[in-house]
Amino acid sequence: MEPAGPSVRELRLHLVTWNVGTASPPPDVTSLLQLNSLGPTMDMYVIGLQEVNSKITNFLSDLAFDDPWSIFFMAVLSPLGYIKLSSVRMQGLLLLTFVKHIHLPFIRDIHTQFTRTGLYGYWGNKGGVSIRMSLYGHTICFLNCHLPAHMENTEQRLDDFEKILEMQFEGENIPSTLEHDVLFWFGDLNFRIADYGIHFVRESINNKRYSLLWEKDQLNMAKKTEAFLKEFIEGPLQFKPTYKFDLYSDVYDTSEKKRKPAWTDRILWRVKHLCQNASKEGEFSEEEQTIFVTLNNYVSHMSYGISDHKPVTGTFGLELKPLVSVPLVVLNPEGEWSAEHDVIIRYSAVPEFPSSAWDWIGLFKVTFRHMNDYVTYAWVEDDEISSNKDSKQVYMSASEIPTMGGEFLLCYYSNNLQTIVGISEPFQILPSKTSIEKDLTQEENSWMQKPDDLESRDESEDRKGI
């Protein structure tokens, strides 16, 4: 019998949208990711970028390797206990999801998709990329779009977005975007402020009278008339329009083009239950709803100047009743681990788990960056040493265990489900005697070589972390 899980779970999501204008990552993203926030830490980061190195040569070279932005965000977030769950790239569009280790066994059915709309669908400079998943049994989709530019192209923007919604996951055995319990829609949507001239717009911004401009924002106007947009919710635009700025400044465009400021960079969301029950007034009780979305913060970040857009972030609370509360696989290291001897992993799976001969258990550093960032692994079938109805044991060879030791964890990767379905608690691997002896020998040598140079010795110890 399945143990009762928590009746309600609140997850914190932090979404970022940023048109980075082919720039390299900035030196620091602490404020962008709210890493110094005094509140509870985020459970998931979803980062949508546009115009990432979108020159064709850069794009082709990036296919073989992770792009600089993915590497950058992994370097920032992996030491904090987040792994890159999934990513999708279509030319200049990039979407990354990072999640805390603890949630991995409860995230399933991860799929990515992209839809080109540039040059009649042949060119990927415009369009949408998405990542969808089941999160504690609830279906969530994140959709990052870059829609056509220029004031006069409102209809084209709306047509393209409708086309993206229709084409994502079409023909696959996956719900359409609008069939997900929650859909987040964000990106450089390129909607402009209509009618008002540039001087009135700039004057209103200088006086922080943003509400004067809201009613002429093309997206706000379209939401009143387009049925498919009415169901999307957005927080109040209580920040300056995020486009177009001179680089490395908070001064609006001073070039010859003198672009009129606009809220091009937006984050919206849609909850399916709310849409389904809007027409059934009085028939729907809150008891039936199993997922709630709360916007906690919707802001722009003026301090970032690497592109002519300012990044926008939305911090959300996702309150849900877990429909899945037991991992498919539970696994633990047996006994004391070190490179002195072969080591044992014990695991057990729920009866309905679809195991495969291609499943493997990986040994990961606690700061691992993504699913393939393992130190070593064991095949669950080939390396099995015992099995009974309650649990199985698998061995890892001593020669594969890191001699220096440290803090590690184990993950079970399911080939059929293409994801991690079980994760152990972090545990210590003891350094082997040979590595300790080697360290002592190196220390003795450094003393022998520099008996008087204490300052240099202190520096070398700092580098080694002694």
Side-chain angles (χ1 to χ4, degrees):
M1 198 172 119
E2 187 172 300
S7 55
V8 172
R9 181 153 207 156
E10 172 139 14
L11 302 180
R12 285 171 60 84
L13 271 63
H14 190 68
L15 271 67
V16 176
T17 179
W18 193 3
N19 182 324
V20 296
T22 75
S24 297
D28 184 74
V29 283
T30 302
S31 65
L32 184 72
L33 301 181
Q34 295 196 346
L35 299 178
N36 285 343
S37 167
L38 296 175
T41 56
M42 302 300 163
D43 293 281
M44 185 182 280
Y45 284 97
V46 180
I47 300 164
L49 306 179
Q50 306 86 38
E51 292 191 22
V52 172
N53 262 0
S54 53
K55 300 181 188 78
I56 189 72
T57 50
N58 289 331
F59 174 62
L60 291 174
S61 66
D62 283 348
L63 286 176
F65 311 99
D66 265 320
D67 64 278
W69 282 91
S70 297
I71 292 165
F72 171 74
F73 280 115
M74 281 191 283
V76 170
L77 290 169
S78 66
L80 305 175
Y82 298 89
I83 81 148
K84 187 181 85 170
L85 179 73
S86 185
S87 65
V88 58
R89 173 97 193 261
M90 182 185 76
Q91 219 152 296
L93 274 167
L94 176 64
L95 179 57
L96 302 163
T97 53
F98 291 86
V99 66
K100 272 188 173 171
H101 300 159
I102 191 173
H103 302 302
L104 280 174
F106 307 102
I107 299 176
R108 300 173 192 169
D109 303 324
I110 303 162
H111 294 272
T112 63
Q113 181 63 275
F114 61 84
T115 302
R116 295 185 178 97
T117 56
L119 263 186
Y120 310 104
Y122 289 104
W123 188 238
N125 64 326
K126 296 287 190 291
V129 291
S130 62
I131 296 173
R132 62 88 57 196
M133 66 192 70
S134 164
L135 178 66
Y136 290 93
H138 299 270
T139 54
I140 314 283
C141 185
F142 301 99
L143 174 57
N144 171 25
C145 290
H146 193 184
L147 300 181
H150 307 305
M151 180 69 72
E152 65 278 9
N153 284 334
T154 308
E155 286 307 313
Q156 186 66 54
R157 285 188 271 279
L158 296 172
D159 288 349
D160 281 10
F161 179 51
E162 202 162 11
K163 183 173 164 188
I164 291 165
L165 286 176
E166 285 168 9
M167 290 179 71
Q168 294 272 295
F169 307 117
E170 191 181 35
E172 297 183 47
N173 192 22
I174 298 168
S176 69
T177 45
L178 296 177
E179 282 301 305
H180 284 74
D181 295 327
V182 181
L183 167 62
F184 288 96
W185 171 41
F186 48 97
D188 178 358
L189 307 184
N190 254 323
F191 290 101
R192 308 303 169 105
I193 295 168
D195 300 345
Y196 297 140
I198 188 168
H199 296 296
F200 180 81
V201 170
R202 287 190 174 187
E203 202 55 38
S204 301
I205 293 166
N206 290 340
N207 295 320
K208 295 191 175 174
R209 299 181 70 185
Y210 306 135
S211 58
L212 292 175
L213 308 177
W214 292 343
E215 62 196 40
K216 294 296 181 183
D217 170 77
Q218 291 173 335
L219 180 53
N220 283 343
M221 290 194 288
K223 281 182 69 185
K224 292 174 184 168
T225 57
E226 301 287 338
F228 76 102
L229 284 183
K230 286 179 183 175
E231 297 166 344
F232 283 92
I233 306 164
E234 184 180 19
L237 295 165
Q238 290 172 337
F239 49 86
K240 291 169 77 164
T242 51
Y243 174 82
K244 176 184 181 177
F245 288 90
D246 290 346
L247 294 184
Y248 300 103
S249 79
D250 53 8
V251 175
Y252 283 108
D253 187 16
T254 57
S255 71
E256 288 174 15
K257 291 181 180 174
K258 284 204 168 49
R259 293 265 184 241
K260 189 161 60 166
W263 284 291
T264 53
D265 309 279
R266 313 283 277 270
I267 301 172
L268 298 91
W269 72 99
R270 176 187 184 275
V271 182
K272 192 173 88 170
H273 286 306
L274 297 180
C275 308
Q276 284 176 339
N277 293 288
S279 55
K280 301 184 195 171
E281 287 171 28
E283 292 178 29
F284 176 67
S285 75
E286 280 202 359
E287 294 297 308
E288 293 171 50
Q289 192 169 332
T290 55
I291 188 161
F292 294 88
V293 178
T294 309
L295 175 67
N296 297 326
N297 202 10
Y298 188 35
V299 294
S300 67
H301 296 260
M302 293 294 290
S303 63
Y304 294 94
I306 58 171
S307 92
D308 53 6
H309 290 252
K310 299 299 180 187
V312 170
T313 61
T315 309
F316 294 86
L318 208 57
E319 200 176 287
L320 48 82
K321 293 176 183 173
L323 306 176
V324 174
S325 53
V326 172
L328 294 173
V329 172
V330 173
L331 69 167
N332 295 292
E334 293 266 282
E336 197 173 80
W337 276 45
S338 80
E340 304 289 327
H341 52 77
D342 291 352
V343 292
I344 308 287
I345 301 157
R346 182 185 294 277
Y347 76 91
S348 57
V350 297
E352 67 273 18
F353 175 62
S355 64
S356 152
W358 295 101
D359 289 358
W360 50 272
I361 295 171
L363 176 68
F364 293 84
K365 289 183 175 177
V366 287
T367 55
F368 72 119
R369 296 163 300 164
H370 50 76
M371 291 182 198
N372 291 325
D373 193 20
Y374 49 79
V375 176
T376 184
Y377 63 89
W379 294 107
V380 297
E381 205 163 279
D382 291 355
D383 298 317
E384 187 177 293
I385 52 172
S386 82
S387 173
N388 61 46
K389 66 179 175 60
D390 294 322
S391 69
K392 299 187 178 194
Q393 286 186 323
V394 171
Y395 87 98
M396 272 182 183
S397 165
S399 62
E400 304 288 328
I401 304 301
T403 56
M404 299 302 290
E407 196 173 15
F408 292 82
L409 43 77
L410 296 164
C411 294
Y412 187 112
Y413 183 85
S414 162
N415 187 63
N416 285 332
L417 301 177
Q418 295 280 298
T419 189
I420 288 171
V421 293
I423 186 166
S424 75
E425 292 289 328
F427 64 96
Q428 289 293 326
I429 293 181
L430 302 174
S432 68
K433 290 190 182 98
T434 50
S435 74
I436 294 168
E437 284 162 10
K438 194 174 165 189
D439 265 11
L440 289 170
T441 309
Q442 283 175 346
E443 206 167 311
E444 281 169 19
N445 287 343
S446 67
W447 273 88
M448 296 288 284
Q449 285 161 9
K450 299 179 187 169
D452 302 320
D453 192 356
L454 293 177
E455 199 171 309
S456 299
R457 186 170 60 78
D458 288 346
E459 281 177 18
S460 74
E461 288 182 355
D462 283 347
R463 278 200 299 277
K464 283 165 69 179
I466 292 173

